[in-house]
Amino acid sequence: MSTLSVPPVLTSPRDDAIQLYRAFKGLGCDTAAVVNILSHRDVTQRSFIQHEYKTMYSEDLLKRLKSELSGKLETAVLLWMLDPAERDATVIKQAFLSGVTNLFAATEVICSRTPSQIQLIKQNYHSKFGVLLEQDIAVLTSGDNKELLLAYLSTHRHEGPEVDREMALKDAKTLFKAGEKKLGTDEKKFIRIFSERSRAQLAAISSAYHDMYGGSLKKAVKSETSGEFEHGLLTILKCSQNPAKYFAKVLHQAMKGLGTNDTTVIRVIVTRTEIDMHYIKAEYLRKYKKSLNDAVQSETSGHYRTFLLSLLGPSH
């Protein structure tokens, strides 16, 4: 569901390609024009613009953007130009390639996506990087987190709203016995249930857990696990209940305190704009009593700020 709050685009992809070419010509790049065009085009239009640009100028638009833009703006625009599955595959690969393997971003993307999105990510990862995503995970991650990610990528999960109440009660009991009730933790049981159950089913398990034991499943995960494994389980659990609330918190944490984690801000805004950004904005306002637009406005600057705010759309 697109949340790009823009008036209907009256220019054709061909016109946009011409305007971009003009913005690149001459001394220096007309960055404002580039930002204005690309931030107001949806995924289909962006694809058509790339095609028209290549046809007319025998040049790859992404390569040209890479040479004309720089810094955070370049990172954000280049990610925005990709289709969603290729973009997610790229984010995961970049996370693996960053000096200290940034598993946080890779875990977040994998554990917050639906089964059908994951299938497309796996296909794109393989065709773009020539290696299976599972192979990279097997080499670059370890321990319980590796087992969770591999299970989550390979298990078929139902995507509908149907819930089996009896199974939810059974799974809640299994998780209690595997965690809070025993000394130590039976991680395999957590991995099996969290990777095999649908979002709706996991939300029902969480509810059953609270009814039966008085505590929350989220708190149990926090006390029983740690590190990337904990992050993966919590991402799966929170996204089964309210993905928008989960991403509002990720954005808030990236911008609070001294400095801003721009990699996270770019990743979340660019990947969620055409999915559920208006829900994320509502959750952000509800939880932090400040609009997401205001937070981005105060934490960023220049064309980079303009680009992100254009993706977010009006503040109301």
Side-chain angles (χ1 to χ4, degrees):
M1 180 188 301
S2 175
T3 60
L4 275 179
S5 36
V6 293
V9 175
L10 301 174
T11 57
S12 68
R14 189 170 185 275
D15 294 335
D16 285 338
I18 293 168
Q19 291 304 321
L20 286 168
Y21 184 73
R22 286 180 183 157
F24 299 145
K25 277 181 74 175
L27 282 170
C29 169
D30 183 352
T31 309
V34 174
V35 165
N36 189 44
I37 293 168
L38 296 179
S39 65
H40 293 107
R41 302 297 182 269
D42 67 26
V43 64
T44 311
Q45 291 162 337
R46 298 194 301 275
S47 174
F48 283 143
I49 291 168
Q50 288 183 69
H51 178 73
E52 288 290 346
Y53 193 91
K54 185 80 184 258
T55 305
M56 292 162 72
Y57 305 112
S58 305
E59 180 182 42
D60 185 315
L61 177 57
L62 294 190
K63 282 187 180 154
R64 190 63 197 251
L65 286 167
K66 197 172 171 57
S67 71
E68 297 288 347
L69 305 175
S70 62
K72 294 175 283 203
L73 178 66
E74 178 197 336
T75 305
V77 171
L78 288 177
L79 263 187
W80 177 242
M81 293 304 290
L82 303 175
D83 76 69
E86 186 184 357
R87 186 194 295 140
D88 281 344
T90 303
V91 167
I92 294 168
K93 189 67 171 177
Q94 286 172 347
F96 287 152
L97 293 173
S98 60
V100 179
T101 306
N102 179 10
L103 289 179
F104 190 90
T107 300
E108 176 201 283
V109 170
I110 292 167
C111 294
S112 65
R113 299 313 190 246
T114 64
S116 46
Q117 286 170 332
I118 285 173
Q119 285 312 312
L120 291 171
I121 292 167
K122 282 159 69 171
Q123 288 163 18
N124 271 271
Y125 197 95
H126 187 240
S127 60
K128 194 176 170 89
F129 305 115
V131 61
L132 293 173
L133 176 53
E134 293 90 334
Q135 286 175 305
D136 267 355
I137 284 171
V139 172
L140 297 166
T141 65
S142 61
D144 296 320
N145 188 48
K146 173 168 90 172
E147 300 308 322
L148 176 67
L149 293 179
L150 290 175
Y152 204 70
L153 284 171
S154 63
T155 311
H156 175 74
R157 281 177 301 284
H158 183 60
E159 288 193 46
E162 301 80 12
V163 163
D164 181 333
R165 298 280 166 206
E166 237 171 86
M167 188 191 250
L169 293 168
K170 203 171 128 201
D171 284 343
K173 196 173 183 180
T174 300
L175 289 170
F176 182 69
K177 282 184 177 171
E180 292 189 291
K181 195 180 178 188
K182 73 185 300 245
L183 204 62
T185 309
D186 184 346
E187 289 87 0
K188 282 188 172 54
K189 296 243 175 25
F190 276 85
I191 291 168
R192 180 177 62 78
I193 290 170
F194 275 63
S195 65
E196 289 180 4
R197 304 298 179 252
S198 71
R199 284 187 169 184
Q201 189 65 26
L202 204 53
I205 293 167
S206 181
S207 174
Y209 194 96
H210 184 266
D211 292 344
M212 291 161 77
Y213 306 110
S216 79
L217 182 54
K218 188 172 84 176
K219 282 196 178 135
V221 168
K222 283 181 173 176
S223 67
E224 294 295 323
T225 61
S226 62
E228 286 298 337
F229 181 49
E230 177 192 352
H231 174 227
L233 291 174
L234 287 176
T235 301
I236 294 167
L237 185 58
K238 289 175 180 179
C239 288
S240 75
Q241 297 162 327
N242 188 340
K245 186 178 174 185
Y246 170 82
F247 285 110
K249 186 173 182 182
V250 172
L251 284 168
H252 179 70
Q253 287 178 325
M255 292 187 280
K256 73 176 187 184
L258 280 173
T260 299
N261 183 337
D262 288 289
T263 308
T264 298
V265 172
I266 291 168
R267 179 180 72 248
V268 175
I269 291 179
V270 170
T271 60
R272 305 311 291 188
T273 286
E274 292 178 292
I275 298 176
D276 55 359
M277 186 49 76
H278 55 309
Y279 294 118
I280 293 171
K281 284 160 71 173
E283 286 291 346
Y284 196 97
L285 184 62
R286 188 184 63 77
K287 193 162 186 197
Y288 305 110
K289 308 295 178 255
K290 177 183 188 177
S291 78
L292 179 55
N293 292 55
D294 285 348
V296 169
Q297 173 83 29
S298 63
E299 294 294 327
T300 58
S301 61
H303 295 299
Y304 169 56
R305 172 202 277 164
T306 307
F307 182 71
L308 293 182
L309 290 175
S310 297
L311 296 193
L312 289 179
S315 198
H316 56 263

